[in-house]
């Protein structure tokens, strides 16, 4: 019998207002335990002001083999970046 | 831990300039104000795709077409960021769209004007996105966390929008007399509606009080409008465009421009439904929302079938 409990992914918001960023994972039997474990394991040095825990099985990830197919199309669209445009000489704050 | 459990905790967080997060206790008035403002913002991004979308097939070059497509695609993305952020306040996407269709939620008045020529695409990117940027930069400091974070993401993407518009205007001003005239005509038609985007003067802005108290809004309509005017005048001068405001004058004392009277009667008339494109914009949105219903139904049916198959 598996005694490892479920895997949960942990996200930490480092300070109020910022994004929650993935930190790692914990094992736990339920939400409360997952939060508790996340706090004990990942925020011993005031790393965060808020935690999210999400059952790992609910995270769908793209596979690295698909990376080219997924992200290549953005490579030749340099016009999505402001530096692509030539601004007239002397124009300010643009 | 940092969760907000009571209204006094809420006020304390607001007072110390900390962001409110979805699970925090918040006053109903705060929630209602945010839903109204954020959904209006989301609807504006999406409705704003229409006047520009009108020019995709007529863009003057492949380069211009690619850029315009990418720009409009971004606006769709902005709408989605903002709808998702609004949904964290406990309202569904469905309800938000319904409010739009019933006229209970608004979108930015500027999109009730038509994009008549290619120069309008330049004017929209430069002036309309330019005005939106001024507003959105200040909203990066709004008190609601998901809204503020959406603003950071959006502002990063907006810079290309404004530049591509300004580039169009600059190129036209280097072109033939007819092209220069077309650019000036677009400028004349979009300048005043762009100033109106910031809303009524502070002296008669109905929502200002709450929005400031809750730090949803960080700068007033007039402050933001002034900021926009001050940075845009120089850009117009550099490429030889005239601002269609004979009263526009540099004020040495306040180190910014004085501007002429805004035609608030026009603003009120357009916002209450009498603009050139109000009906067209809404009809279009409703039509395509309804015509897309089968896609949503098919996706749901497929999901249910897969779930049944997994359960067996
Ligand atoms: Fe946008
Ligand atoms: Fe934009």
């Amino acid at each position: 019998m598996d005694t490892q409990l479920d895997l949960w992914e942990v996200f930490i918001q480092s300070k109020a207002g910022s994004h929650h960023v993935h930190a790692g994972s914990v094992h736990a039997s339920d939400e409360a335990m997952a939060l508790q474990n996340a706090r004990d394991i990942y925020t011993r040095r005031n790393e965060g002001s808020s935690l999210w825990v999400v059952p790992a099985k609910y995270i769908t990830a793209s596979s690295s083999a698909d990376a080219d197919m997924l992200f290549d199309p953005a490579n030749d669209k340099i016009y999505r970046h402001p530096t692509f445009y030539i601004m007239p000489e002397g124009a300010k704050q643009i | 831990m940092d969760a907000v459990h009571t209204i006094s905790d809420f006020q304390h967080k607001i007072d110390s300039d900390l962001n409110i997060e979805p699970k925090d206790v918040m006053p109903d008035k705060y929630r209602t104000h945010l839903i109204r403002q954020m959904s209006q913002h989301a609807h504006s991004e999406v409705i704003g795709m229409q006047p520009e979308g009108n020019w995709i097939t007529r863009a003057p070059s492949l380069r211009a077409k690619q850029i315009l497509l990418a720009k409009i695609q971004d606006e769709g993305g902005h709408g989605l960021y903002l709808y998702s952020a609004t949904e964290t306040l406990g309202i569904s996407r469905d309800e938000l769209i319904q409010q739009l269709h019933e006229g209970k939620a608004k979108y930015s008045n500027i999109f009730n004007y038509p994009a008549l020529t290619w120069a309008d695409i330049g004017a929209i990117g430069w002036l309309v996105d330019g005005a939106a940027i001024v507003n959105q930069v200040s909203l990066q400091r709004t008190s609601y966390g998901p809204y503020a974070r959406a603003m950071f993401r959006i502002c990063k993407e907006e810079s290309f929008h404004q530049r591509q518009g300004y580039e169009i205007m600059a190129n036209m001003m280097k072109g033939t007399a007819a092209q220069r005239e077309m650019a000036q005509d677009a400028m004349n038609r979009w300048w005043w509606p762009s100033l109106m985007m910031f809303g009524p003067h502070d002296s008669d802005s109905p929502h200002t009080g709450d929005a400031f108290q809750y730090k949803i809004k960080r700068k007033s309509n007039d402050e933001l409008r002034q900021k926009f005017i001050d940075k845009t005048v120089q850009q117009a001068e550099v490429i030889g465009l005239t601002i269609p405001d004979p009263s526009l004058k540099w004020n040495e004392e306040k180190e910014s421009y004085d501007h002429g009277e805004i035609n608030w009667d026009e603003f009120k008339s357009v916002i209450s439904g009498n603009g050139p494109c109000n009906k067209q914009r809404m009809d279009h949105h409703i039509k395509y929302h309804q015509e897309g219903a089968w896609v949503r139904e098919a996706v749901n049916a497929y999901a249910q079938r897969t779930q049944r198959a997994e359960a067996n």
Side-chain angles (χ1 to χ4, degrees):
Chain A
M1 191 187 156
D2 182 18
T3 55
Q4 292 298 304
L5 309 178
D6 291 333
L7 188 64
W8 297 67
E9 297 300 333
V10 178
F11 298 82
I12 303 177
Q13 186 184 43
S14 57
K15 59 180 200 312
S18 58
H19 297 263
H20 284 75
V21 176
H22 185 245
S25 44
V26 292
H27 287 209
S29 59
D30 63 16
E31 312 172 1
M33 184 177 177
L35 264 185
Q36 183 70 48
N37 289 352
R39 191 205 71 160
D40 293 348
I41 296 169
Y42 290 101
T43 60
R44 290 191 305 279
R45 288 174 187 76
N46 267 326
E47 285 87 342
S49 60
S50 162
L51 282 170
W52 286 350
V53 287
V54 181
K57 65 179 173 197
Y58 288 128
I59 290 186
T60 307
S62 67
S63 99
S64 55
D66 292 339
D68 282 355
M69 179 185 78
L70 290 173
F71 308 116
D72 254 7
N75 288 347
D76 60 358
K77 296 182 178 57
I78 45 170
Y79 46 81
R80 283 177 178 155
H81 299 277
T83 44
F84 178 76
Y85 301 88
I86 301 158
M87 293 295 97
E89 186 115 18
K92 290 187 191 133
Q93 296 189 65
I94 185 134
Chain B
M1 286 222 155
D2 212 23
V4 175
H5 293 300
T6 66
I7 295 293
S8 78
D9 290 347
F10 168 87
Q11 199 52 52
H12 177 75
K13 257 189 135 178
I14 293 282
D15 293 342
S16 5
D17 270 337
L18 292 170
N19 281 104
I20 304 300
E21 295 294 341
K23 297 218 162 161
D24 294 344
V25 170
M26 58 185 92
D28 285 344
K29 266 164 89 182
Y30 182 73
R31 190 184 297 275
T32 320
H33 189 107
L34 278 172
I35 290 176
R36 189 180 52 73
Q37 178 171 332
M38 291 168 70
S39 69
Q40 172 169 342
H41 199 158
H43 298 322
S44 303
E45 302 282 354
V46 172
I47 297 289
M49 296 164 81
Q50 289 186 41
E52 293 181 304
N54 187 32
W55 277 91
I56 292 173
T57 55
R58 292 177 289 165
S61 68
L62 181 59
R63 179 187 186 272
K65 182 187 271 198
Q66 285 179 307
I67 291 170
L68 186 57
L69 268 171
K71 198 259 186 198
I72 297 170
Q73 187 186 27
D74 273 359
E75 304 302 1
H78 296 176
L80 296 180
Y81 305 157
L82 284 161
Y83 282 126
S84 309
T86 315
E87 285 164 57
T88 63
L89 291 160
I91 187 162
S92 70
R93 184 82 56 102
D94 209 37
E95 289 170 275
L96 293 170
I97 303 291
Q98 201 179 333
Q99 288 179 353
L100 173 69
H101 288 176
E102 288 171 355
K104 288 180 189 152
K106 290 194 163 53
Y107 55 87
S108 177
N109 209 25
I110 192 90
F111 301 118
N112 291 320
Y113 293 86
L116 299 177
T117 72
W118 177 250
D120 287 37
I121 298 303
I124 290 173
W126 173 40
L127 300 174
V128 177
D129 286 68
I133 289 170
V134 170
N135 185 34
Q136 292 177 145
V137 164
S138 103
L139 283 172
Q140 288 176 333
R141 289 179 56 241
T142 191
S143 58
Y144 189 53
Y147 195 19
R149 292 191 288 275
M151 284 303 109
F152 272 99
R153 191 171 271 275
I154 286 177
C155 285
K156 248 168 121 180
E157 299 180 351
E158 283 294 348
S159 158
F160 118 62
H161 298 181
Q162 198 191 13
R163 283 175 153 233
Q164 64 85 32
Y166 189 49
E167 192 192 68
I168 290 173
M169 293 304 253
N171 285 339
M172 290 188 93
M173 290 307 286
K174 283 189 293 196
T176 63
Q179 286 169 329
R180 286 198 298 275
E181 201 177 303
M182 194 182 268
Q184 184 62 54
D185 169 63
M187 173 92 207
N188 294 349
R189 282 181 291 106
W190 288 94
W191 175 253
W192 291 104
S194 299
L195 296 192
M196 294 176 198
M197 282 174 74
F198 298 97
H201 286 307
D202 298 346
S203 44
D204 34 38
S205 171
H207 302 291
T208 296
D210 275 354
F212 273 100
Q213 192 203 323
Y214 291 141
K215 296 188 179 168
I216 294 173
K217 225 171 141 57
R218 307 306 302 258
K219 286 211 162 82
S220 76
N221 295 354
D222 285 333
E223 279 176 279
L224 293 167
R225 184 166 21 239
Q226 189 67 56
K227 225 181 164 69
F228 171 71
I229 294 171
D230 289 345
K231 65 188 262 190
T232 309
V233 172
Q234 193 266 348
Q235 294 164 5
E237 281 168 359
V238 163
I239 58 174
L241 281 166
T242 307
I243 306 266
D245 178 358
S247 314
L248 190 82
K249 205 169 74 237
W250 179 253
N251 182 326
E252 200 64 62
E253 209 167 302
K254 62 169 194 174
E255 295 200 325
S256 67
Y257 285 93
D258 291 332
H259 63 86
E261 269 303 311
I262 294 170
N263 183 351
W264 294 112
D265 290 341
E266 174 185 327
F267 178 77
K268 277 178 210 139
S269 156
V270 175
I271 213 167
S272 51
N274 304 314
C277 300
N278 301 51
K279 189 171 160 13
Q280 181 188 338
R281 299 292 182 241
M282 199 47 69
D283 287 353
H284 184 92
H285 195 279
I286 292 172
K287 175 168 183 268
Y288 284 97
H289 186 70
Q290 285 170 352
E291 284 181 9
W294 71 271
V295 179
R296 296 187 289 276
E297 280 160 26
V299 168
N300 266 328
Y302 182 75
Q304 275 166 17
R305 202 180 73 187
T306 332
Q307 276 161 17
R308 267 203 309 276
E310 271 168 16
N312 289 333

